[in-house]
């Protein structure tokens, strides 16, 4: 599976960490799963918008 390297600012990193802990529990802190879901949801929404805008 391809990997993507990104740099997060401190605020975004803290928000991500807190979200993962709240949604998955402190024992299961697997950020990559949450990020993959977020990217998929973002693309699902925005690909549709792009298709509509560009016919």
């Amino acid at each position: 599976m391809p990997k993507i390297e990104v740099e997060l600012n401190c605020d975004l990193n803290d928000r991500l960490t807190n979200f993962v802990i709240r949604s998955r529990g402190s024992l299961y802190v697997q950020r990559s799963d949450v990020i993959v879901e977020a990217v998929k949801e973002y693309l699902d929404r925005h690909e549709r918008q792009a298709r509509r805008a560009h016919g």
Side-chain angles (χ1 to χ4, degrees):
M1 191 178 308
K3 291 186 178 189
I4 299 172
E5 184 177 328
V6 297
E7 292 183 25
L8 302 176
N9 66 34
C10 291
D11 180 53
L12 189 55
N13 184 60
D14 290 345
R15 288 174 59 194
L16 175 61
T17 300
N18 290 334
F19 175 78
V20 172
I21 290 171
R22 281 193 314 271
S23 65
R24 305 284 174 108
S26 60
L27 296 178
Y28 182 77
V29 180
Q30 190 62 269
R31 292 188 213 193
S32 60
D33 291 344
V34 174
I35 293 170
V36 167
E37 288 177 30
V39 169
K40 182 183 178 311
E41 288 177 17
Y42 178 89
L43 289 174
D44 288 347
R45 271 193 309 258
H46 290 87
E47 283 176 332
R48 283 190 296 254
Q49 290 174 354
R51 277 192 298 262
R52 279 184 265 152
H54 300 289

